[in-house]
Amino acid sequence: MTSYAQTMARDYELGGKAAVAAMIAALFAGSTALTPLYIIYKQAFGFSQVTLTLVYAVYVVGNLGALLFFGRVSDVIGRRPAALAAMGVAVVSAVFFLFAENLAWLDIARILSGLGIGVGAGAGTAWLAELIEGKDKSRAAIITTSTNFIGLGVGALMAGLLAQYAPWPLRLTFAVYLVLLALVTVLIWRTRETVSSAGRLSDVSLRPRLSVPDNVRAQFVAPAVTGFGAMALVGFYAALAPSILAQQLHVSNHAEAGGLFFELSIVAAATIVGTARLSARSTMLAALALMIPAVALVVAAQIYASMALMIAATAVCGAAAALGYRGGLQVVNQIAPADRRAEVVSVFFICCFCGNALPVIGIGVLSGLASATTASLAFAGMIIVFSMVALGFGAKYAR
């Protein structure tokens, strides 16, 4: 009888971990469902390439809002209430996308999507660490980051397939997504709470506190730049790859556009799992070294209008992004003082969010002033310079 009870308890805990991982994946899937749809929205609403990049980048406003004002909300009110609130925000975001009539609807939906992901990912990451038994919590980080990328890839692929082979491309994608959110919400509702003394929302402090202590600032440069570069690569593909495929590689199939980002995400997830035993510093430095050939391949694919080169570039970018994100985060966790770790990690995430948005806007502006290839060359140059600087700091402060 005891053995049966233990088995049931283990199955329940396993189901809880799977539910939280599914929530993280589902939330991130909503952020890339637009990737193969941007070109359709651009034609339907008649906006420019610069506006397209702004629609993508405004998502970061929600991310930053979640990080600055709601970063500790799940510590106070509990993991499950915070996760359910995040799912609710994601549902409202999907409804705005479903009924979008103009650019303002898209902007509101993107901001809400970023807010929901920021709150949900933070709560889910902490929840997983608490659901996993034992002192070694590295498995929680591996699960969180890999499911993050899997969700990003599945969202883009699902939207691309529906846009290409099903009716109502701008509606059906989000109708299906709403069903997915509903199913995951039910699973989250049934998952065990791990915060024993939950308070009220009114107990949450909304005063942001972000800084890097003087004694670790020089060491912080390398992981911060690595995180910026890693997320810049992801942002480049999420916002601009479909336009590059259509305009320069003459590939207008929406499923292929979604499939390209799916390739990047799956390579990233596999890289995270496959390099789990690699040290944090080695992971970060490997990412910086990989970023240079990654952007060189992207530019070469555009110049030669080669889909084969683009597929190769995507694989290298996926590996570099995964190693950069995981390695940078782990190094920050190691160098941050224990009593200020959350504060320093939050600054790292701000660097990641800025990397995800700012270069994309710059590429959009340059594409309008010059050409897409020129803009990509400038992007490649920025990534190479940043990588060299970070490699220098990383090597100097390796100890």
PDB file of all heavy atoms in Angstrom, residues 23 27 74 78-88 119-120 123-124 127 188:
ATOM      1  N   MET A  23       3.668  24.999 -19.481  1.00  0.00           N
ATOM      2  CA  MET A  23       3.272  26.404 -19.366  1.00  0.00           C
ATOM      3  C   MET A  23       4.344  27.329 -19.946  1.00  0.00           C
ATOM      4  O   MET A  23       4.042  28.256 -20.712  1.00  0.00           O
ATOM      5  CB  MET A  23       3.037  26.764 -17.904  1.00  0.00           C
ATOM      6  CG  MET A  23       2.662  28.228 -17.702  1.00  0.00           C
ATOM      7  SD  MET A  23       2.782  28.785 -15.987  1.00  0.00           S
ATOM      8  CE  MET A  23       4.563  28.835 -15.742  1.00  0.00           C
ATOM      9  N   LEU A  27       3.669  29.681 -23.218  1.00  0.00           N
ATOM     10  CA  LEU A  27       3.793  31.135 -23.167  1.00  0.00           C
ATOM     11  C   LEU A  27       4.760  31.640 -24.239  1.00  0.00           C
ATOM     12  O   LEU A  27       4.467  32.608 -24.956  1.00  0.00           O
ATOM     13  CB  LEU A  27       4.263  31.573 -21.778  1.00  0.00           C
ATOM     14  CG  LEU A  27       3.225  31.479 -20.652  1.00  0.00           C
ATOM     15  CD1 LEU A  27       3.886  31.725 -19.298  1.00  0.00           C
ATOM     16  CD2 LEU A  27       2.095  32.470 -20.877  1.00  0.00           C
ATOM     17  N   SER A  74       5.612  36.096  -7.570  1.00  0.00           N
ATOM     18  CA  SER A  74       5.321  34.703  -7.217  1.00  0.00           C
ATOM     19  C   SER A  74       5.919  34.320  -5.872  1.00  0.00           C
ATOM     20  O   SER A  74       5.443  33.387  -5.219  1.00  0.00           O
ATOM     21  CB  SER A  74       5.823  33.751  -8.311  1.00  0.00           C
ATOM     22  OG  SER A  74       7.229  33.641  -8.299  1.00  0.00           O
ATOM     23  N   GLY A  78       2.563  33.322  -4.239  1.00  0.00           N
ATOM     24  CA  GLY A  78       2.602  31.901  -4.554  1.00  0.00           C
ATOM     25  C   GLY A  78       2.828  31.656  -6.035  1.00  0.00           C
ATOM     26  O   GLY A  78       2.537  32.510  -6.882  1.00  0.00           O
ATOM     27  N   ARG A  79       3.385  30.478  -6.362  1.00  0.00           N
ATOM     28  CA  ARG A  79       3.706  30.154  -7.760  1.00  0.00           C
ATOM     29  C   ARG A  79       2.443  29.970  -8.600  1.00  0.00           C
ATOM     30  O   ARG A  79       2.341  30.497  -9.712  1.00  0.00           O
ATOM     31  CB  ARG A  79       4.540  28.867  -7.821  1.00  0.00           C
ATOM     32  CG  ARG A  79       5.758  28.840  -6.916  1.00  0.00           C
ATOM     33  CD  ARG A  79       6.719  29.984  -7.154  1.00  0.00           C
ATOM     34  NE  ARG A  79       7.891  29.854  -6.277  1.00  0.00           N
ATOM     35  CZ  ARG A  79       8.655  30.876  -5.910  1.00  0.00           C
ATOM     36  NH1 ARG A  79       8.361  32.101  -6.326  1.00  0.00           N
ATOM     37  NH2 ARG A  79       9.701  30.687  -5.127  1.00  0.00           N
ATOM     38  N   ARG A  80       1.482  29.226  -8.069  1.00  0.00           N
ATOM     39  CA  ARG A  80       0.294  28.919  -8.868  1.00  0.00           C
ATOM     40  C   ARG A  80      -0.540  30.168  -9.179  1.00  0.00           C
ATOM     41  O   ARG A  80      -0.908  30.373 -10.341  1.00  0.00           O
ATOM     42  CB  ARG A  80      -0.550  27.852  -8.171  1.00  0.00           C
ATOM     43  CG  ARG A  80      -1.773  27.439  -9.001  1.00  0.00           C
ATOM     44  CD  ARG A  80      -2.386  26.153  -8.503  1.00  0.00           C
ATOM     45  NE  ARG A  80      -2.676  26.228  -7.073  1.00  0.00           N
ATOM     46  CZ  ARG A  80      -2.991  25.169  -6.331  1.00  0.00           C
ATOM     47  NH1 ARG A  80      -3.026  23.969  -6.859  1.00  0.00           N
ATOM     48  NH2 ARG A  80      -3.273  25.303  -5.046  1.00  0.00           N
ATOM     49  N   PRO A  81      -0.836  31.046  -8.203  1.00  0.00           N
ATOM     50  CA  PRO A  81      -1.588  32.257  -8.543  1.00  0.00           C
ATOM     51  C   PRO A  81      -0.868  33.140  -9.563  1.00  0.00           C
ATOM     52  O   PRO A  81      -1.498  33.695 -10.471  1.00  0.00           O
ATOM     53  CB  PRO A  81      -1.729  32.973  -7.190  1.00  0.00           C
ATOM     54  CG  PRO A  81      -1.628  31.900  -6.177  1.00  0.00           C
ATOM     55  CD  PRO A  81      -0.648  30.912  -6.740  1.00  0.00           C
ATOM     56  N   ALA A  82       0.458  33.265  -9.418  1.00  0.00           N
ATOM     57  CA  ALA A  82       1.218  34.081 -10.370  1.00  0.00           C
ATOM     58  C   ALA A  82       1.185  33.454 -11.764  1.00  0.00           C
ATOM     59  O   ALA A  82       1.027  34.153 -12.772  1.00  0.00           O
ATOM     60  CB  ALA A  82       2.663  34.233  -9.893  1.00  0.00           C
ATOM     61  N   ALA A  83       1.334  32.119 -11.815  1.00  0.00           N
ATOM     62  CA  ALA A  83       1.301  31.423 -13.112  1.00  0.00           C
ATOM     63  C   ALA A  83      -0.075  31.549 -13.764  1.00  0.00           C
ATOM     64  O   ALA A  83      -0.183  31.783 -14.980  1.00  0.00           O
ATOM     65  CB  ALA A  83       1.658  29.953 -12.919  1.00  0.00           C
ATOM     66  N   LEU A  84      -1.132  31.412 -12.971  1.00  0.00           N
ATOM     67  CA  LEU A  84      -2.487  31.546 -13.521  1.00  0.00           C
ATOM     68  C   LEU A  84      -2.744  32.971 -14.011  1.00  0.00           C
ATOM     69  O   LEU A  84      -3.406  33.177 -15.038  1.00  0.00           O
ATOM     70  CB  LEU A  84      -3.519  31.147 -12.464  1.00  0.00           C
ATOM     71  CG  LEU A  84      -3.571  29.656 -12.109  1.00  0.00           C
ATOM     72  CD1 LEU A  84      -4.496  29.420 -10.919  1.00  0.00           C
ATOM     73  CD2 LEU A  84      -4.031  28.830 -13.311  1.00  0.00           C
ATOM     74  N   ALA A  85      -2.215  33.957 -13.292  1.00  0.00           N
ATOM     75  CA  ALA A  85      -2.353  35.349 -13.741  1.00  0.00           C
ATOM     76  C   ALA A  85      -1.635  35.554 -15.075  1.00  0.00           C
ATOM     77  O   ALA A  85      -2.144  36.222 -15.984  1.00  0.00           O
ATOM     78  CB  ALA A  85      -1.787  36.293 -12.685  1.00  0.00           C
ATOM     79  N   ALA A  86      -0.440  34.959 -15.195  1.00  0.00           N
ATOM     80  CA  ALA A  86       0.313  35.059 -16.449  1.00  0.00           C
ATOM     81  C   ALA A  86      -0.451  34.417 -17.599  1.00  0.00           C
ATOM     82  O   ALA A  86      -0.492  34.957 -18.714  1.00  0.00           O
ATOM     83  CB  ALA A  86       1.685  34.398 -16.289  1.00  0.00           C
ATOM     84  N   MET A  87      -1.067  33.264 -17.345  1.00  0.00           N
ATOM     85  CA  MET A  87      -1.859  32.602 -18.375  1.00  0.00           C
ATOM     86  C   MET A  87      -3.060  33.459 -18.772  1.00  0.00           C
ATOM     87  O   MET A  87      -3.441  33.529 -19.945  1.00  0.00           O
ATOM     88  CB  MET A  87      -2.326  31.232 -17.885  1.00  0.00           C
ATOM     89  CG  MET A  87      -1.199  30.234 -17.620  1.00  0.00           C
ATOM     90  SD  MET A  87      -0.200  29.866 -19.081  1.00  0.00           S
ATOM     91  CE  MET A  87      -1.365  28.870 -20.019  1.00  0.00           C
ATOM     92  N   GLY A  88      -3.658  34.131 -17.781  1.00  0.00           N
ATOM     93  CA  GLY A  88      -4.774  35.023 -18.077  1.00  0.00           C
ATOM     94  C   GLY A  88      -4.357  36.174 -18.982  1.00  0.00           C
ATOM     95  O   GLY A  88      -5.077  36.537 -19.930  1.00  0.00           O
ATOM     96  N   VAL A 119       6.168  37.375 -16.353  1.00  0.00           N
ATOM     97  CA  VAL A 119       5.668  36.904 -15.056  1.00  0.00           C
ATOM     98  C   VAL A 119       5.659  35.372 -15.016  1.00  0.00           C
ATOM     99  O   VAL A 119       6.105  34.750 -14.048  1.00  0.00           O
ATOM    100  CB  VAL A 119       4.256  37.456 -14.781  1.00  0.00           C
ATOM    101  CG1 VAL A 119       3.674  36.836 -13.506  1.00  0.00           C
ATOM    102  CG2 VAL A 119       4.293  38.974 -14.666  1.00  0.00           C
ATOM    103  N   GLY A 120       5.138  34.745 -16.075  1.00  0.00           N
ATOM    104  CA  GLY A 120       4.998  33.288 -16.102  1.00  0.00           C
ATOM    105  C   GLY A 120       6.322  32.555 -16.113  1.00  0.00           C
ATOM    106  O   GLY A 120       6.486  31.543 -15.418  1.00  0.00           O
ATOM    107  N   ALA A 123       7.909  32.855 -12.557  1.00  0.00           N
ATOM    108  CA  ALA A 123       7.233  31.971 -11.606  1.00  0.00           C
ATOM    109  C   ALA A 123       7.508  30.505 -11.932  1.00  0.00           C
ATOM    110  O   ALA A 123       7.760  29.691 -11.038  1.00  0.00           O
ATOM    111  CB  ALA A 123       5.732  32.237 -11.628  1.00  0.00           C
ATOM    112  N   GLY A 124       7.477  30.158 -13.220  1.00  0.00           N
ATOM    113  CA  GLY A 124       7.686  28.772 -13.636  1.00  0.00           C
ATOM    114  C   GLY A 124       9.086  28.278 -13.348  1.00  0.00           C
ATOM    115  O   GLY A 124       9.279  27.127 -12.928  1.00  0.00           O
ATOM    116  N   TRP A 127       9.270  27.636  -9.686  1.00  0.00           N
ATOM    117  CA  TRP A 127       8.383  26.511  -9.365  1.00  0.00           C
ATOM    118  C   TRP A 127       9.044  25.183  -9.702  1.00  0.00           C
ATOM    119  O   TRP A 127       9.020  24.234  -8.914  1.00  0.00           O
ATOM    120  CB  TRP A 127       7.080  26.679 -10.141  1.00  0.00           C
ATOM    121  CG  TRP A 127       5.880  26.042  -9.506  1.00  0.00           C
ATOM    122  CD1 TRP A 127       5.826  25.277  -8.385  1.00  0.00           C
ATOM    123  CD2 TRP A 127       4.530  26.149  -9.976  1.00  0.00           C
ATOM    124  NE1 TRP A 127       4.535  24.894  -8.121  1.00  0.00           N
ATOM    125  CE2 TRP A 127       3.714  25.408  -9.080  1.00  0.00           C
ATOM    126  CE3 TRP A 127       3.926  26.776 -11.066  1.00  0.00           C
ATOM    127  CZ2 TRP A 127       2.333  25.286  -9.246  1.00  0.00           C
ATOM    128  CZ3 TRP A 127       2.555  26.664 -11.221  1.00  0.00           C
ATOM    129  CH2 TRP A 127       1.771  25.933 -10.325  1.00  0.00           C
ATOM    130  N   ILE A 188      -2.048  23.581 -14.884  1.00  0.00           N
ATOM    131  CA  ILE A 188      -1.427  24.429 -13.861  1.00  0.00           C
ATOM    132  C   ILE A 188      -2.308  24.509 -12.620  1.00  0.00           C
ATOM    133  O   ILE A 188      -1.829  24.481 -11.483  1.00  0.00           O
ATOM    134  CB  ILE A 188      -1.153  25.841 -14.435  1.00  0.00           C
ATOM    135  CG1 ILE A 188      -0.009  25.787 -15.452  1.00  0.00           C
ATOM    136  CG2 ILE A 188      -0.830  26.847 -13.332  1.00  0.00           C
ATOM    137  CD1 ILE A 188       1.311  25.314 -14.881  1.00  0.00           C
TER     138      ILE A 188
END
